[in-house]
Amino acid sequence: MKKLTLLVFLTFLTLAACSDTESEDTYSIEDARDNGDVIVEHQVDNFDQIMQGALEIENIDPITTLLDNYQQEETASADISIFSPDGSHFKNSLSYDGDVVTFENNYGGYKNAPQGTYTCEYIEKRGPVVYVSSCESDEGESYSTMIGFVGSENVF
């Protein structure tokens, strides 16, 4: 019985040693570049500092195309990869189907923009921020205005 227990223990130990948790794929900035995402790198965790520009932005084109197409009532979408200072990644998306704006928010760090999926009537840029408004969550909760994207003056 001891030999069987030892054999089972060694088998589990070997399997654990072979499984490298470091090898799990994480979504990197390079992955986001390859996929054409808008890339937002927060330099701090503080919301007010982020709103003041403590972030770096790459590939703003999908957002500007989305805003332009919304005005023309043409479909468009933008995937947004947000990277926190600790390396965490959050993927949001904004899309317009010619009728409604859909905002999928997986990042809960912007004030008054809880995580979830929302259908919204409007999208607009004010300064470096893109807002969605007249939104309803999948659970039926209504939101008058939410932050959909925080950029910086020099990228728009």
Side-chain angles (χ1 to χ4, degrees):
M1 184 69 174
K2 286 183 180 180
K3 286 184 180 183
L4 180 60
T5 304
L6 180 61
L7 180 61
V8 170
F9 175 74
L10 289 175
T11 301
F12 282 116
L13 185 63
T14 302
L15 289 173
C18 291
S19 69
D20 181 10
T21 57
E22 296 285 325
S23 70
E24 287 183 25
D25 291 336
T26 57
Y27 199 78
S28 69
I29 291 174
E30 191 59 41
D31 294 329
R33 281 186 192 116
D34 291 345
N35 288 327
D37 295 355
V38 177
I39 299 170
V40 180
E41 292 180 79
H42 291 166
Q43 303 302 304
V44 296
D45 289 321
N46 180 282
F47 173 76
D48 293 326
Q49 291 175 332
I50 291 168
M51 289 294 287
Q52 294 298 317
L55 44 78
E56 292 183 23
I57 307 289
E58 285 184 43
N59 191 29
I60 194 69
D61 292 341
I63 292 285
T64 57
T65 299
L66 173 67
L67 293 167
D68 291 343
N69 284 18
Y70 173 78
Q71 293 299 320
Q72 303 298 319
E73 297 182 2
E74 296 176 5
T75 62
S77 65
D79 288 329
I80 305 161
S81 282
I82 300 171
F83 294 92
S84 295
D86 68 2
S88 299
H89 170 256
F90 304 89
K91 189 154 192 165
N92 289 355
S93 67
L94 285 163
S95 62
Y96 177 65
D97 67 3
D99 187 36
V100 298
V101 175
T102 301
F103 175 39
E104 183 181 328
N105 184 24
N106 293 303
Y107 177 72
Y110 297 150
K111 289 182 183 176
N112 301 320
Q115 292 178 319
T117 301
Y118 305 89
T119 54
C120 307
E121 292 182 31
Y122 307 102
I123 185 170
E124 69 176 327
K125 182 179 84 66
R126 288 185 247 153
V129 180
V130 174
Y131 292 93
V132 290
S133 54
S134 298
C135 301
E136 187 174 307
S137 72
D138 285 346
E139 291 80 33
E141 297 174 4
S142 295
Y143 296 87
S144 61
T145 304
M146 295 191 302
I147 295 173
F149 173 77
V150 176
S152 59
E153 290 290 344
N154 63 343
V155 299
F156 278 112

